[in-house]
Amino acid sequence: MTIRYDRPVSRSAYLAWRLGVFGAAVLAIVILAHRFGPLTTPDFVALAALAAVPAALAVPFALIGLGRLWQVGALGGVAAGWALFYATLPLGLTGWAAWRYLDRPPIYDVSSDLVDPPQWLREPTARQQWLERPPVTRESRDLQARAYPGFTGRRYEGALDRVYEAVRKVADANGLLVIAERGQEYAVPEFQPLSPAPPASASVPAVDPNAPPQGVPVPLPRPEPEPAATALPPEPIGTVRLQAATRTFALGLPFDVVIRLREEVETTLVDLRVASRYGPHDLGIGTEIAEHFLHALDAELLGIAGD
């Protein structure tokens, strides 16, 4: 006679699995809709926080399921393990953001020049919703100086045109989309090579004086004058400014960047300003974007970097 043992089933483990899968699926959809779709950053933050709620509920249920497996051998141990894995995704993102929020200074605008920050060519505007940004004050600049004392500009022992070319190359390689530019005429080399002259004709055909004229111009109506554009003040001599927009790779958080190049004697000074488009706190990402760009620019201009 065969004896068959029926193992109990842990309902908590399977409930935890459902909650964990639901939280991870919501987070994945929210990230994709924000990174590649129309979802705004304030809505993304709110929905990502909501995705952490079922994930947080899945953890105690999964622990109960594992406890039942240990005590009475109940079915559901695998489901509880997967529930903990899925719950880690939204809880990990929320925990990372909370740690950054508490560990980094509450600023959203950083600059390598705290005395004279580079000014925007186009003031960044966005519908803030509930993530409003306070004005940049002297206190926020002091917070940046204490939190990131090593974030400074770069001075290169090279001409403005050489550094400008490297800045554009590094910007393109790092996903910075230039949307405005001023003073680029100062970055044109002083001596440009002349374009080659067209080859001279070997023989010039004779013109018949009695032949009818060819190519008589036909009068056209005079075009309407275009409205005059609002003139902006010119850049100081030897100064170039570029404004760009970028997004973080994984979450697609939008940031605005302005790069200023100033030629001083035989060197070129490069300063950066990076600002988050939403919220009073950039979680330290703005400084990371700026420092990554400057390190890439150092590598591009290796050999001419000064102090």
Side-chain angles (χ1 to χ4, degrees):
M1 181 177 177
T2 303
I3 300 176
R4 182 177 180 180
Y5 295 95
D6 290 331
R7 295 177 59 186
V9 178
S10 175
R11 299 181 182 275
S12 299
Y14 289 100
L15 177 59
W17 180 83
R18 294 186 183 93
L19 290 172
V21 170
F22 178 74
V26 169
L27 179 64
I29 294 173
V30 166
I31 291 177
L32 292 175
H34 179 252
R35 186 68 179 84
F36 305 105
L39 190 65
T40 62
T41 299
D43 293 336
F44 161 74
V45 174
L47 292 175
L50 288 177
V53 175
L57 294 175
V59 173
F61 285 116
L63 295 178
I64 293 174
L66 292 175
R68 293 284 293 168
L69 172 65
W70 176 262
Q71 293 171 356
V72 297
L75 293 173
V78 175
W82 280 110
L84 292 176
F85 170 77
Y86 289 124
T88 301
L89 302 178
L91 291 179
L93 177 60
T94 304
W96 172 82
W99 170 68
R100 285 280 189 134
Y101 188 88
L102 298 175
D103 185 66
R104 302 297 193 271
I107 55 179
Y108 67 90
D109 188 313
V110 295
S111 173
S112 61
D113 188 345
L114 298 177
V115 178
D116 182 22
Q119 299 301 309
W120 302 106
L121 297 174
R122 299 178 184 174
E123 191 68 28
T125 57
R127 185 167 171 260
Q128 304 294 318
Q129 295 175 254
W130 60 277
L131 285 179
E132 296 183 358
R133 301 187 309 175
V136 180
T137 61
R138 184 70 251 177
E139 289 73 17
S140 63
R141 296 298 184 196
D142 293 339
L143 282 176
Q144 177 199 325
R146 292 193 297 269
Y148 311 112
F151 176 39
T152 58
R154 296 289 196 273
R155 186 180 299 275
Y156 300 99
E157 296 177 356
L160 180 62
D161 60 324
R162 172 71 178 91
V163 179
Y164 170 79
E165 180 183 356
V167 166
R168 290 301 302 257
K169 181 178 180 180
V170 172
D172 293 339
N174 287 270
L176 271 68
L177 178 63
V178 177
I179 60 176
E181 192 171 353
R182 293 280 307 282
Q184 63 270 26
E185 63 273 9
Y186 299 124
V188 178
E190 184 176 358
F191 299 101
Q192 296 283 0
L194 297 177
S195 58
S201 174
S203 60
V204 178
V207 180
D208 186 1
N210 298 322
Q214 300 292 331
V216 178
V218 179
L220 298 175
R222 179 170 300 182
E224 295 293 333
E226 297 181 358
T230 304
L232 296 175
E235 288 292 301
I237 296 177
T239 300
V240 180
R241 275 188 298 163
L242 301 91
Q243 184 168 334
T246 186
R247 299 173 75 96
T248 58
F249 177 75
L251 301 179
L253 301 175
F255 283 80
D256 295 288
V257 183
V258 59
I259 309 168
R260 183 180 63 196
L261 294 79
R262 290 187 298 186
E263 192 172 37
E264 298 179 355
V265 191
E266 297 180 353
T267 63
T268 300
L269 181 63
V270 178
D271 283 301
L272 252 73
R273 181 180 179 184
V274 183
S276 172
R277 198 170 295 177
Y278 297 91
H281 205 304
D282 67 353
L283 306 180
I285 300 175
T287 307
E288 293 177 355
I289 293 175
E291 291 181 342
H292 178 76
F293 179 88
L294 292 174
H295 288 326
L297 187 60
D298 289 341
E300 181 66 26
L301 294 172
L302 186 64
I304 69 171
D307 297 332

